[in-house]
Amino acid sequence: MRPRPPAMRTKRRYILARLLPYRAQVDQRQLYFSVIEAATSLLGDAAAGLAQPAVVFCEGGYVVVRCRRGTEKDVAVALATVTSVADERIALRTVATSGTIHALRRRMKPIRHLAGDEEVKVGETYFAVYRYPRQKVDLVEKGIKHQKSLFFTEADLEER
Amino acid sequence: MKITDAGIHPYPAGDSTVARMALEAAGLGFDSAVAIGDAVCRSSGVEVLRGAVIGAASVKEVLKRVRDPAVRRADVVYVDAGEIAFNRAVVSIKEVNVVRSIHATRRNAFDHVAARTAAEQGVAVDISMAPIVHLRGTKRQRALQRYADVLSLQRRYGFPLTISSDARSILGQRSVREIRGLCSLFGMTGAEVTEALSSVGRIIEPHRPVRVVE
């Protein structure tokens, strides 16, 4: 089948969003379902159908969402209402919108996980410590599933 | 003009400490934030103000609670909205700065009489982003209707509005740009959002005539 000539193709826009928490490992398919659910719930079937939101890829703590040109603002608002993916609490922070994925890749700054993982006890629970730049510290409850997360800073951890 | 998140709930009420939430707020484009509770933040580029919430069933209880040392220490005093008579009375209390949880009240609970009094007294009405972000279906539709109603009253009577993320975690905080998009859902313009985000500063330090001190 011959592809459509460029002038007849649908114009697209790509939205780059950062995934929070930093260590979150989400499945692209599950994330797509969450984005579609959020867009349909907020904009309705008709508007969400016209916007055609889709998750292009999800890597290195960033997500690229594709939509039709002219609907990027609506889709960005819908992304702000995504709160979980497959029972895991997340947040999507919109970083930039562009007409090409190439331009968005330039905006993707790798999130460095600083070395020095250890264990800390908060109350009666043991947490694994994950350190990030700007003195950010994420604490994840030790366990197999449904672990509780706490978001501290280095100073908070030292004060304990 | 300081862009302020008018309500965050840090650890232990939430899962993020006030310092971490302040750090996130700075990254999201805020100059200050109001932390509900006794949490104090000494560092970071964001000014953290102290907020106190009064959840009371009667005006008498509110009048009693505003005299609490914890409430008197607070920079911003919030009262949870209730029935129509309660809201009308609460906006005339001098110590009260903001009426919140307006989305959870019944329709017309905040009416034109309360709006006029709020404008005269300089009492603000808080618009929380949490119901728009976290609720789905009819509950979110109802919250959007309530906010649209409050906005129409605000345009008529000119009482201040504040905007809060009501976040209990850094995952619940939203950027200024995202807040602008979420507020456009109920018809708020960009200029109105900027005005509402900067109104906490005006509530804390209202314009008063110059006094000559000898």
Side-chain angles (χ1 to χ4, degrees):
Chain A
M1 194 176 75
R2 286 188 62 191
R4 279 192 183 189
M8 289 185 69
R9 288 179 204 160
T10 316
K11 302 289 185 286
R12 302 286 175 82
R13 279 287 177 269
Y14 299 91
I15 302 167
L16 177 68
R18 207 175 64 226
L19 198 62
L20 278 182
Y22 296 129
R23 59 169 200 296
Q25 297 290 327
V26 297
D27 179 37
Q28 186 180 327
R29 194 178 160 81
Q30 293 294 333
L31 182 62
Y32 168 75
F33 290 138
S34 293
V35 170
I36 289 292
E37 185 274 329
T40 310
S41 169
L42 190 73
L43 309 170
D45 286 335
L50 283 174
Q52 298 175 1
V55 176
V56 181
F57 67 85
C58 171
E59 62 184 38
Y62 285 92
V63 181
V64 170
V65 178
R66 185 182 65 208
C67 64
R68 273 175 72 131
R69 189 173 69 181
T71 63
E72 59 268 22
K73 278 186 183 170
D74 293 338
V75 175
V77 173
L79 290 182
T81 66
V82 175
T83 54
S84 65
V85 173
D87 292 338
E88 191 180 352
R89 286 172 61 221
I90 63 140
L92 294 175
R93 298 266 156 80
T94 310
V95 177
T97 305
S98 176
T100 62
I101 295 173
H102 180 74
L104 292 181
R105 280 195 189 275
R106 286 199 294 255
R107 302 286 296 266
M108 289 168 67
K109 294 184 185 103
I111 295 151
R112 288 179 297 120
H113 172 214
L114 303 179
D117 291 350
E118 66 212 52
E119 201 177 87
V120 70
K121 192 180 177 190
V122 179
E124 292 299 307
T125 319
Y126 284 94
F127 289 85
V129 180
Y130 296 91
R131 293 171 198 280
Y132 298 98
R134 297 189 66 202
Q135 310 251 314
K136 293 176 183 177
V137 180
D138 289 5
L139 306 179
V140 183
E141 189 182 353
K142 290 262 182 183
I144 298 165
K145 56 193 277 190
H146 301 304
Q147 297 109 310
K148 192 178 157 190
S149 294
L150 296 175
F151 303 98
F152 280 38
T153 61
E154 287 286 358
D156 296 323
L157 212 58
E158 281 164 16
E159 277 175 23
R160 294 199 66 78
Chain B
M1 187 173 73
K2 277 188 174 176
I3 301 295
T4 308
D5 185 341
I8 53 172
H9 304 261
Y11 185 81
D15 65 12
S16 310
T17 59
V18 65
R20 181 66 184 271
M21 291 183 104
L23 211 59
E24 287 292 328
L28 295 171
F30 290 95
D31 302 313
S32 60
V34 182
I36 311 291
D38 284 332
V40 183
C41 180
R42 287 177 290 277
S43 57
S44 88
V46 169
E47 186 187 358
V48 179
L49 303 165
R50 201 190 289 251
V53 176
I54 299 173
S58 66
V59 182
K60 203 174 170 185
E61 205 180 326
V62 174
L63 287 167
K64 195 177 154 194
R65 294 275 302 276
V66 290
R67 288 191 221 109
D68 277 358
V71 176
R72 288 170 80 107
R73 266 200 313 272
D75 298 305
V76 187
V77 178
Y78 299 84
V79 174
D80 283 330
E83 291 296 314
I84 185 164
F86 177 84
N87 294 341
R88 283 181 181 183
V90 129
V91 291
S92 58
I93 298 172
K94 199 180 134 200
E95 288 85 358
V96 174
N97 299 124
V98 183
V99 177
R100 71 193 283 273
S101 301
I102 210 84
H103 65 276
T105 58
R106 290 176 64 181
R107 201 176 166 192
N108 297 328
F110 190 84
D111 64 348
H112 63 286
V113 178
R116 193 180 296 137
T117 316
E120 284 165 8
Q121 299 287 328
V123 174
V125 175
D126 184 54
I127 289 176
S128 169
M129 291 295 107
I132 306 176
V133 171
H134 295 285
L135 297 180
R136 295 285 188 270
T138 50
K139 284 181 180 172
R140 178 156 66 185
Q141 289 166 21
R142 211 168 295 141
L144 289 169
Q145 283 168 15
R146 299 290 299 117
Y147 289 158
D149 186 41
V150 166
L151 185 64
S152 68
L153 287 169
Q154 193 274 336
R155 283 173 180 162
R156 176 78 175 79
Y157 295 101
F159 55 86
L161 288 176
T162 61
I163 296 177
S164 64
S165 63
D166 256 343
R168 288 171 190 277
S169 166
I170 56 162
L171 304 179
Q173 289 179 278
R174 293 291 178 265
S175 69
V176 174
R177 186 170 47 186
E178 286 166 339
I179 285 175
R180 208 160 272 154
L182 291 167
C183 288
S184 72
L185 294 171
F186 54 88
M188 209 167 177
T189 63
E192 284 171 333
V193 172
T194 310
E195 173 106 8
L197 285 170
S198 60
S199 62
V200 170
R202 285 194 297 276
I203 291 166
I204 296 167
E205 290 165 5
H207 293 296
R208 290 204 177 99
V210 177
R211 253 181 343 122
V212 179
V213 182
E214 288 181 27

